[in-house]
Amino acid sequence: MQEQSRINKQAWEYRAYEFWEKRDGTPAEYAAIIKQDPAACLKKHRRHFEDVAGKTIANICGSNGRKAVPLALLGADVTVFDISEENAKYALELAHYAETSIHYVVCDLYAIDLERYRDTFDLLYLEGGILHYFADLERFLQILFTILRPGGQLILSDFHPVGRWIDADLTYRPRYFDQALQSGDLAYKTHFTDAEQTDFPDVSVRYFTLSEILNGVIATRFTLERFDEHRGWNGENIPSEFTLLATKPLEGSNS
């Protein structure tokens, strides 16, 4: 396992299950909410999943199943790939209580079995801030291209590279073109007390510019279909996230 992956696996297996219960409730409680309206749980991306019954979907770094379980309830055959055993435990319990099923593969995505999953999935869904955990963006995107079937679609939603460096008070931190790996706080660290936070391991991240992301997708031979930028949760007039849609050409089979 690569050093960045090893660091991030250790971090994401530190009290993750406990965090999901803090934020979302027990798997049984959260499942009851999801079952009321699975499509609503997909939020701004729900329009991309209006007809997923019978389709195979890979939810990359799908964490606690908050998107995989709604998609399964809508009739999709969903496989989550994630590095954390704690995330898997919560997600599988969530699927159980939601009376559906998902496949969950705990692995370093760099080490995914490409022969097994080559040209397999109709849709790849990545959301919630993922790219910075993969310093080798070229290799990461090539893996995505390989496991997507020809004609399949990539739905990638991530933090906007510009918005990431603008603080809540609109102060800009001039780090946009930094390329080095750096240590960062685990995403849910602040949900614990100050005393507890001292024991949290750091994650290892590498941030990308918008041109690195777009050019990486194009260089991997995806066909870029659409790129949307999103405001912050409170409607701030700065780009907070983006959603990128791309397809794998029909002649792009890896067989």
Side-chain angles (χ1 to χ4, degrees):
M1 180 177 292
Q2 293 191 353
E3 181 64 8
Q4 185 190 24
S5 298
R6 185 195 66 76
I7 292 170
N8 290 331
K9 179 176 178 62
Q10 180 183 23
W12 275 97
E13 289 183 343
Y14 185 79
R15 303 180 71 172
Y17 186 98
E18 182 180 352
F19 162 66
W20 296 124
E21 287 200 317
K22 277 177 175 286
R23 196 191 75 170
D24 297 330
T26 67
E29 292 168 339
Y30 194 23
I33 295 171
I34 292 174
K35 287 175 67 177
Q36 292 176 14
D37 190 350
C41 298
L42 302 172
K43 298 182 180 179
K44 63 177 174 286
H45 299 135
R46 63 185 297 173
R47 64 190 177 91
H48 301 303
F49 299 103
E50 293 179 350
D51 184 22
V52 295
K55 291 187 177 180
T56 55
I57 300 178
N59 185 201
I60 308 297
C61 298
S63 68
N64 72 332
R66 65 183 182 273
K67 303 301 182 184
V69 170
L71 288 168
L73 286 169
L74 293 172
D77 181 1
V78 186
T79 300
V80 176
F81 295 94
D82 194 278
I83 205 165
S84 170
E85 294 281 1
E86 289 240 332
N87 285 347
K89 182 175 185 295
Y90 189 100
L92 292 171
E93 290 179 12
L94 183 66
H96 168 76
Y97 286 111
E99 300 179 287
T100 189
S101 63
I102 60 174
H103 313 286
Y104 207 110
V105 181
V106 178
C107 69
D108 177 1
L109 198 75
Y110 288 133
I112 190 173
D113 186 343
L114 293 180
E115 291 308 309
R116 177 177 179 182
Y117 293 108
R118 185 180 300 273
D119 294 338
T120 293
F121 297 101
D122 298 309
L123 292 167
L124 305 182
Y125 185 32
L126 297 77
E127 60 84 34
I130 290 170
L131 294 181
H132 53 282
Y133 292 118
F134 298 93
D136 191 343
L137 183 62
E138 179 182 354
R139 182 180 176 191
F140 178 70
L141 290 172
Q142 186 58 55
I143 289 169
L144 299 184
F145 189 86
T146 299
I147 67 175
L148 186 63
R149 69 164 179 79
Q153 185 175 57
L154 166 68
I155 302 171
L156 168 62
S157 182
D158 214 288
F159 299 128
H160 198 292
V162 173
R164 181 184 287 284
W165 300 120
I166 300 177
D167 291 332
D169 62 359
L170 301 186
T171 299
Y172 173 67
R173 292 177 288 165
R175 300 181 182 176
Y176 186 75
F177 291 101
D178 289 359
Q179 296 182 337
L181 274 173
Q182 54 190 281
S183 296
D185 287 337
L186 192 54
Y188 52 85
K189 178 178 178 178
T190 57
H191 290 262
F192 291 80
T193 67
D194 290 343
E196 290 174 305
Q197 288 182 35
T198 61
D199 295 326
F200 269 69
D202 287 338
V203 292
S204 175
V205 293
R206 197 287 206 190
Y207 297 115
F208 298 97
T209 66
L210 194 55
S211 60
E212 285 179 309
I213 295 168
L214 292 174
N215 288 331
V217 168
I218 293 169
T220 312
R221 294 184 293 129
F222 282 108
T223 300
L224 183 61
E225 301 286 352
R226 186 177 177 90
F227 182 85
D228 293 309
E229 298 169 291
H230 310 297
R231 294 174 181 265
W233 289 107
N234 297 314
E236 298 92 339
N237 196 24
I238 56 175
S240 178
E241 297 180 347
F242 69 84
T243 300
L244 177 156
L245 302 181
T247 56
K248 179 173 177 175
L250 289 174
E251 67 273 17
S253 173
N254 289 280
S255 58

